Amino acid sequence: MKVLFGLLVGLAFCLFSAVLRVAAHSPQDPPAAQNPGAAPGASQAPGRGGERRPGVAGKLTAVHGDSIEVTRPDGSVTTVKINGSTQFRKAREAAKLSDFKVGDEVFVRGEENADHTWTAEIIGERPAGGFGGPGGQRVGPGGGPGAGRPAGVLGQDYVFGEVKSVDAPKLTILRPDNVSQTVELNEETSLRKGREAITMADIQPGDHVMVRGGMANNVFQPKSLIVFGPEQWKRMQEMGMTGGAPPANPPKDNSQPQKPPEPPH
């Protein structure tokens, strides 16, 4: 009896030791995966499953009860969803969906969804010949606020296009309407590339620029000049904001007097 009791005690001790060894070598639960893009301790706000992008611009081609369709300059059609918080702007004033009609040029600011539709925060009129935004602000590449054509008359209120030649302090710029215009900069002209201040020496043929100013004594007086980077200009072309490529015929030059047509013989 004593022998049997001793065997049972020994067996129990062995089982207990085995359990302790297994518990000591058990793999622990792996730590929760961290978002590599998040800073330690930062919380990630849940989104609506979409991606923030500058916006959509193009022609309004369909109007539905809770959405519109916008045809971009490249021919693609984007569905834009409307909700109770969507704002509308037309002629620099607050508007409503019924104020828009098929054929209007519009811009959209909001959020792109996972299915490539958009949820609009603002839908506004995009005036012909310029890039309108809420309250008349300029709209940049993709439809967001930034660099673009300001309101006014091309050649009188602003000059926009590719620098063809530099003869300091003069620049000859080929505009989207295929007219070459010479602009003479002065000490009061603000020069920038993006957010950085530059000098006349930093402007080279082939650069794409926008010069804002006004007319004085029938001469354009430049107040500011912005140089666009290649990627920014490419996005502007994709959005149809550059007026398209110049036609193949030789450009006119509005800095030279034009000969009057000869009378018929």
Side-chain angles (χ1 to χ4, degrees):
M1 191 69 180
K2 291 182 179 180
V3 173
L4 180 59
F5 179 79
L7 289 174
L8 291 174
V9 171
L11 181 60
F13 180 79
C14 291
L15 290 173
F16 181 74
S17 299
V19 169
L20 290 177
R21 285 196 298 270
V22 171
H25 291 85
S26 298
Q28 298 180 355
D29 293 335
Q34 299 294 323
N35 186 343
S43 61
Q44 297 296 315
R48 287 182 286 180
E51 178 186 358
R52 289 281 179 179
R53 298 181 64 84
V56 179
K59 183 174 290 187
L60 181 61
T61 49
V63 179
H64 307 294
D66 57 356
S67 68
I68 63 173
E69 292 180 6
V70 178
T71 300
R72 303 190 192 216
D74 62 2
S76 63
V77 178
T78 300
T79 298
V80 179
K81 298 178 180 179
I82 299 168
N83 55 40
S85 62
T86 302
Q87 301 178 42
F88 299 92
R89 296 286 186 272
K90 196 164 189 180
R92 302 185 181 184
E93 300 290 342
K96 52 186 180 295
L97 179 59
S98 59
D99 294 324
F100 292 82
K101 63 182 184 299
V102 171
D104 285 349
E105 292 289 335
V106 298
F107 70 89
V108 177
R109 283 167 48 193
E111 180 176 305
E112 185 175 16
N113 303 308
D115 60 356
H116 302 298
T117 63
W118 280 70
T119 298
E121 295 176 358
I122 296 177
I123 298 175
E125 181 183 33
R126 184 173 169 223
F131 312 115
Q137 69 179 351
R138 290 178 295 120
V139 174
R149 292 188 194 176
V153 178
L154 178 62
Q156 297 182 18
D157 301 300
Y158 67 95
V159 180
F160 182 73
E162 180 182 350
V163 176
K164 304 304 291 185
S165 65
V166 179
D167 183 15
K170 297 180 180 180
L171 303 176
T172 299
I173 301 170
L174 179 61
R175 303 181 336 204
D177 58 357
N178 206 40
V179 172
S180 291
Q181 182 166 348
T182 298
V183 174
E184 184 171 353
L185 308 182
N186 55 60
E187 295 180 353
E188 297 181 357
T189 307
S190 168
L191 307 179
R192 290 189 299 113
K193 185 172 185 178
R195 298 183 179 180
E196 297 181 0
I198 59 174
T199 66
M200 181 76 182
D202 296 315
I203 304 173
Q204 303 294 327
D207 285 344
H208 295 95
V209 300
M210 180 181 70
V211 187
R212 291 187 292 168
M215 300 297 293
N217 299 322
N218 294 322
V219 177
F220 179 79
Q221 302 293 329
K223 296 180 180 178
S224 66
L225 178 147
I226 299 175
V227 178
F228 301 111
E231 288 300 319
Q232 188 178 14
W233 183 258
K234 182 180 178 181
R235 290 196 298 270
M236 294 171 72
Q237 287 181 312
E238 291 172 350
M239 296 303 298
M241 300 174 68
T242 62
N249 57 303
K252 301 175 184 178
D253 189 343
N254 73 344
S255 62
Q256 299 294 331
Q258 302 294 319
K259 293 182 179 180
E262 295 182 1
H265 294 292

